Amino acid sequence: MATLPAMNAPAAYLVPASVDEAADALSDGEATLLAGGTDLLLQTHQGVRAFRRTLVNISRIAELKTISLSGDRFRIGALVTITELLHSKLVCQHLPILAQAADHFASDQIRNAATVGGNLCNASPAGDMLPPLLALDATVELACRKDHRLQRRNVPLDQFFLGPRRTAMAADELLTAVEIPLPPARHYGRFFKLGTRPALDISIISIALAGVLENRQLTGVRVAFGAVAPIPVRARRTEAALEGRTLDAEVISTAVETARAEATPISDIRASAWYRSEMIFNMMRRLLHEAADA
Ligand SMILES: Cc1cc2nc3c(=O)[nH]c(=O)nc-3n(C[C@H](O)[C@H](O)[C@H](O)COP(=O)(O)OP(=O)(O)OC[C@H]3O[C@@H](n4cnc5c(N)ncnc54)[C@H](O)[C@@H]3O)c2cc1C
């Protein structure tokens, strides 16, 4: 790995063995947290951001590496990698939309290091795990040390993202897990990612569609878009246009027009705003026709 420019080197390096120790290390708000490093080390090396005084490597905290189902809630630890999601029997059986997103995520080498927590905390509008997690009504668990005690709080994912690379997480907090309610019977979910080289590129747009599918009707509809706004967003007007309606030509036509109007993309080096809007329209139509035929 390339060496860091001296002026950008942290003054201290800590490797906590527990969430408690990590929260301790973060408590003065002067630490940068390192998980898989696939975003952070690029950004610091390119000078896009600087390390804070202490670099805290959380990669040895066993509690953050598990996927479990307890009662009707899944818990995915912040350090679960994209490869582990892809190969998890629990995820493939109950949350296949997450496995689909993992399957469209980067190369094997990056997937082996990249974590779910890092993808969420990096808060890129193009992060691939974000739309499917929004469509699954996920919440994130944040931990910090206050009054000499470890405290945890839960934030619904749709309130977590505040702007590009900005979240509701305070400087003394770490993300410990993502929690997802067990989807009901006949739950249907699809993830679509558009990139010039499907898994290797950052998304030009992405779409997650979920809901209970019965007799060509979707209920509890969730639609989330990536890379069409400063943060990943739920498309609530599109959801309303689909909720409880039979997926016939008229309903699909109204829903895709709504989706195009609801997306507010920008032009950048990867695509123009116009192209992104057209792709939302076309790919939503494809996803809805697939759902109607499922
Ligand atoms: C070649 C390449 C291809 C890529 N392709 C894709 C792709 O297809 N799709 C995609 O979505 N992304 C992609 N990425 C981006 C990146 O791999 C992901 O965002 C990844 O999930 C980040 O996880 P990480 O563990 O490496 O995070 P890190 O780089 O370690 O951290 C990222 C940020 O989150 C913070 N952080 C990490 N974990 C926590 C935590 N538990 N609590 C609090 N803060 C935390 C860090 O301080 C840092 O600010 C790619 C990156 C590269 C280099």
Side-chain angles (χ1 to χ4, degrees), residues 33 35-40 49 105-106 114-115 118-119 121 127-128 175 193:
L33 201 144
T38 59
D39 279 319
L40 180 69
R49 61 180 288 194
F105 194 112
T115 64
N119 201 233
C121 295
D128 283 332
L175 190 151
K193 168 178 176 173

Side-chain angles (χ1 to χ4, degrees), residues 43-61:
Q43 292 162 3
T44 48
H45 189 64
Q46 291 171 345
V48 179
R49 61 180 288 194
F51 288 115
R52 294 194 183 120
R53 192 167 51 75
T54 308
L55 182 61
V56 179
N57 179 347
I58 59 169
S59 64
R60 294 207 189 141
I61 305 178

Side-chain angles (χ1 to χ4, degrees), residues 145-164:
R145 180 176 288 287
K146 276 222 169 66
D147 304 325
H148 307 291
R149 286 187 28 237
L150 184 67
Q151 303 207 352
R152 300 186 196 238
R153 66 177 177 125
N154 281 81
V155 178
L157 194 58
D158 63 357
Q159 295 169 25
F160 183 65
F161 303 108
L162 303 182

Side-chain angles (χ1 to χ4, degrees), residues 156-224:
L157 194 58
D158 63 357
Q159 295 169 25
F160 183 65
F161 303 108
L162 303 182
R165 311 206 184 285
R166 282 199 310 118
T167 69
M169 188 172 59
D172 63 349
E173 287 183 310
L174 75 151
L175 190 151
T176 44
V178 186
E179 293 196 350
I180 301 168
L182 177 66
R186 285 184 277 282
H187 191 260
Y188 178 88
R190 287 290 180 275
F191 173 76
F192 173 83
K193 168 178 176 173
L194 179 71
T196 30
R197 294 170 299 165
L200 290 177
D201 277 337
I202 294 172
S203 293
I204 291 173
I205 60 144
S206 62
I207 305 174
L209 168 70
V212 172
L213 182 61
E214 214 171 356
N215 301 326
R216 299 186 84 208
Q217 288 179 346
L218 275 172
T219 50
V221 186
R222 297 288 182 270
V223 177

